[in-house]
Amino acid sequence: MSGAAAHDLIPAPRAVETRCYIGGEFVRGDAAPVVVVNPATDLPLAEIAGASPSLAARAADLNAHAAREMRALPILKRVELVRRLAAGVRNEAPHLAALLTAESGKPIVESRGEVEYAASFFDNAAAAAEMAAGELPASRTADRRVLVLREPVGATFAITPWNFPLAMIARKLAPALAAGCSQAVKPAEETPLSALAFARIFDRVVREVGAPTGAFSVVVGEPPQVAAAFITHPGTRKLTFTGSTEVGRVLAAQCAPRLLRTALELGGNAPFIVFADADIDRAADQAMLSKFRFMGQTCICANRFLLEASIAEEFLARLEARVKALAAAIGDPTLESTRMGPLINDAAIAKVERHVADAVARGARVRFGGTRARIAGLADRFHAPTILEGCDPTMACACEETFGPVVAAMTFRSEAEALAMANGVPYGLAGYVMTQDADRLLRVAEGLEFGVVGANDGAPSTAEAPFGGRKDSGLGKEGGGHGLDAYTELKYVSLRVRAGS
Ligand code: NAD
Ligand code: MN
C-alpha cells in the first residue's frame, strides 16, 4: 500500500467534534490538548482541548444538577429518551463505525458490529426500565406492610477504555438514564472522538424528547485530574470504571474515604479449555472468535489455551490453518477484507513482544507468527497472529493479560487439573469450556471462578446478560435487568397499620 492511501484512513467527509460536552453545551476545554492519533497511520486525527480541574468541577456540578432533574422525569420519558438514542446510534452507524476504526484501529467490519452492540444496550435498558417494579413482601405481622421502592442512584461518573469506545459508554449510560440517573463520561484519551460524536446524537435527541440536557456529558482531559474532580464532588453518587486492574485499584482507594459506590470492570486472564471430547473444528472456530477479536484487545479474549494432551496437536493444527488465513487479512482497517488492524499503541505491541520473548526464553515454541507484520505505508504497530505451544503457567503470557493476538497453549491430563489451572490466577472475568459431554459442560461451567462462561461459545457478550468479573477482575454487573439494578437504590417504607374495629 502506498503512503497516499494511508491518508484515506481519516474519515474526512464530516468534521469531528473537538469540544467537551458539558451541561448540554459543547464547550471548548481550557487546558492542555489531547491529541488523537490514528494508530494505523500515526497521523493526527484531532486535537481536543482538555478540561482543567475547575472546568471538570463545573461539569461535576452540572452532572449533579441533572441527576435531580432526571429523578423527576417520568419513566415513560426516560424510556423514550433511551429508545431514541438507540435509533440515533443506528442512524449514524456508518459515521460512528468510521470514527471507531480511525481512532482505535478496529477493522471496519468489527466497528460496525460495535455500533450495533452499543445500540442494543439502549434497547435492553429501555425494556428493563419498562418492566422494573418495586416489591411488597408478604407481611410477617398484621400490623405492618413493607413497601420496597426503586429509586435512581443519582449522579454517576464513568471512565471508559479504548477497546470499545462506544459500546462501553452505551453499556453504562443506557441503564443510568433508564433508571433516572445522570452520567458524565471521561473517555479514554486514545478514543474520545466516537464519544463526542455520540454526544452530538444525544444533544439532538434529548432536546426532541424534552429530557434534561445535562443528563450526559463528555469530559476529556488529564485522567487523574478529571477523575478527582468527580470523585471528590459531594453530588457524585457512583463511579463506574472499565479498564485495567491497576487503575481500578487506584480509583477504588480514592472512592473509599467517601464510601462512593463503585462498579469496576477490570482486566481478565481468560482460560480457554478444550477437552478431548470437544468437537475440535467447532472449538477451533470459537477459539478464533474469542482470541482474535480486535486483535486480542478485549477483556474477555482467551489468554491461556488449556488443551487436553491427547488432542492438543489436532486442535493446534486446525487452529493454525485458521490463523494462517487470518494472517493474510492484516492491514488497513478501513478495508472490508481486513480482519486484523494495528494494536492500539506502542506500549501494547511492546507488551506482546515481551510476552513472546519471555515464553520462547522459557522453552515455548513459536508455531506460527511471533513477529511484527510490516505493512507498507502504515504505522509499525501490526503484529502477526501468533501461536505459542509448550507454554506453562509461570510464563508472562499465562500470568498476565497479553491483550494481543497471541495464543499461549499448554496441556492438561484431567478435568481436575484443567479446572485448577484455569482458576489458578487472581483474575475472574471470562472463561471458556469446549466439550460435547453435557455432564462435564455443566460441571466445568460451575467450577470456573469467573463471572462469564462461554460454553462452546467464544463470543459470550450480549446486552441481556449480567456482565462482570470476580476476584481481581472487579465488581458489579452491567447489562440486562441487573445492569438497571446497578443504577437503582432500594428504599423501604414501613407502614404501621392499625387494626380495624
Ligand atoms: P487504563 O486502565 O490505564 O485506562 C482505562 C481508562 O482509565 C482510560 O479512560 C484512562 O484514561 C483512565 N485512567 C488511566 N489512569 C487513570 C487514573 N490514574 N485516574 C483516572 N483514570 C485513569 O488501561 P490502558 O493503559 O489503556 O491499558 C493497559 C492494560 O489494561 C491493557 O493492556 C489491558 O490489560 C487492560 N485493559 C482492560 C480493559 C478492559 O476492557 N477491562 C480495557 C483497557 C485496558
Ligand atoms: Mn494506563
Side-chain angles (χ1 to χ4, degrees):
M1 181 183 298
S2 73
H7 286 269
D8 300 337
L9 290 175
I10 303 170
R14 290 176 57 178
V16 296
E17 181 57 63
T18 60
R19 295 165 297 177
C20 295
Y21 181 62
I22 293 170
E25 285 172 43
F26 288 93
V27 181
R28 191 156 299 285
D30 54 353
V34 171
V35 180
V36 188
V37 174
N38 184 323
T41 61
D42 271 337
L43 295 170
L45 284 165
E47 261 193 39
I48 299 169
S52 65
S54 66
L55 182 55
R58 190 161 76 82
D61 264 342
L62 292 167
N63 189 44
H65 177 76
R68 290 191 289 276
E69 295 176 332
M70 280 301 289
R71 172 185 294 270
L73 194 70
I75 300 244
L76 217 57
K77 275 278 183 196
R78 295 180 199 161
V79 167
E80 185 189 349
L81 171 64
V82 172
R83 284 204 198 287
R84 290 221 202 174
L85 288 171
V89 166
R90 291 191 172 103
N91 287 340
E92 302 262 338
H95 176 56
L96 291 169
L99 278 178
L100 287 171
T101 290
E103 66 184 359
S104 76
K106 185 171 287 191
I108 187 68
V109 179
E110 284 192 43
S111 292
R112 281 190 210 116
E114 178 175 349
V115 174
E116 175 51 34
Y117 185 42
S120 75
F121 283 109
F122 291 101
D123 295 341
N124 182 261
E130 271 186 331
M131 298 297 288
E135 296 165 25
L136 181 65
S139 298
R140 294 167 60 84
T141 57
D143 66 342
R144 169 184 273 163
R145 304 289 182 277
V146 169
L147 202 61
V148 182
L149 308 180
R150 293 175 64 98
E151 297 186 350
V153 162
T156 65
F157 172 55
I159 300 178
T160 52
W162 47 263
N163 56 353
F164 290 93
L166 188 65
M168 291 306 99
I169 291 176
R171 188 156 83 182
K172 296 175 189 303
L173 177 67
L177 296 175
C181 301
S182 63
Q183 187 161 84
V185 175
K186 191 212 74 60
E189 52 274 33
E190 293 88 350
T191 57
L193 297 177
S194 51
L196 291 167
F198 172 76
R200 283 192 176 179
I201 296 171
F202 177 88
D203 192 62
R204 178 174 51 73
V205 168
V206 77
R207 288 167 204 282
E208 285 168 10
V209 173
T213 50
F216 170 61
S217 38
V218 179
V219 185
V220 179
E222 198 50 50
Q225 290 181 359
V226 173
F230 279 90
I231 289 170
T232 59
H233 192 284
T236 304
R237 291 282 182 267
K238 179 165 186 161
L239 165 83
T240 172
F241 171 76
T242 299
S244 62
T245 296
E246 181 193 12
V247 173
R249 272 190 225 287
V250 169
L251 291 168
Q254 290 172 0
C255 290
R258 277 203 55 207
L259 304 178
L260 190 63
R261 279 150 182 62
T262 52
L264 305 169
E265 304 284 356
L266 309 177
N269 183 345
F272 190 101
I273 310 173
V274 185
F275 285 100
D277 53 26
D279 175 331
I280 304 295
D281 262 320
R282 188 176 168 202
D285 287 338
Q286 298 305 312
M288 295 302 290
L289 285 177
S290 172
K291 179 67 253 186
F292 293 107
R293 189 170 180 205
F294 194 23
M295 294 75 82
Q297 299 175 118
T298 90
C299 48
I300 63 164
C301 279
N303 199 55
R304 297 169 290 148
F305 283 75
L306 312 183
L307 311 175
E308 189 157 358
S310 60
I311 50 84
E313 175 52 37
E314 184 190 350
F315 174 80
L316 288 175
R318 296 192 194 196
L319 190 70
E320 187 177 351
R322 289 161 172 81
V323 168
K324 205 170 165 184
L326 182 65
I330 305 187
D332 177 348
T334 66
L335 300 178
E336 292 294 324
S337 56
T338 295
R339 294 291 172 272
M340 284 184 76
L343 297 191
I344 188 72
N345 54 32
D346 292 337
I349 199 158
K351 189 178 185 185
V352 169
E353 290 187 315
R354 175 167 65 79
H355 283 194
V356 171
D358 170 81
V360 170
R362 291 160 179 265
R365 289 172 304 282
V366 176
R367 182 171 181 136
F368 191 90
T371 58
R372 291 185 187 219
R374 315 259 177 199
I375 316 285
L378 295 182
D380 181 17
R381 205 168 287 122
F382 294 74
H383 199 281
T386 295
I387 300 178
L388 300 174
E389 57 187 349
C391 294
D392 71 56
T394 68
M395 295 175 177
C397 60
C399 304
E400 301 171 23
E401 188 177 29
T402 302
F403 236 56
V406 179
V407 171
M410 53 200 97
T411 56
F412 66 84
R413 294 188 180 276
S414 71
E415 188 180 308
E417 189 192 359
L419 263 179
M421 286 169 81
N423 291 334
V425 292
Y427 297 94
L429 188 54
Y432 301 85
V433 52
M434 304 291 131
T435 175
Q436 292 292 105
D437 178 330
D439 295 318
R440 169 171 273 165
L441 189 82
L442 197 58
R443 273 196 311 269
V444 175
E446 288 177 349
L448 285 168
E449 295 168 5
F450 294 81
V452 179
V453 173
N456 293 322
D457 183 2
S461 295
T462 181
E464 70 274 24
F467 185 93
R470 298 182 181 181
K471 296 155 78 178
D472 286 8
S473 294
L475 48 100
K477 299 294 174 195
E478 296 184 324
H482 298 282
L484 195 74
D485 289 345
Y487 291 95
T488 304
E489 283 280 13
L490 297 183
K491 171 193 280 176
Y492 78 85
V493 180
S494 175
L495 295 153
R496 194 66 79 165
V497 184
R498 195 163 35 203
S501 50

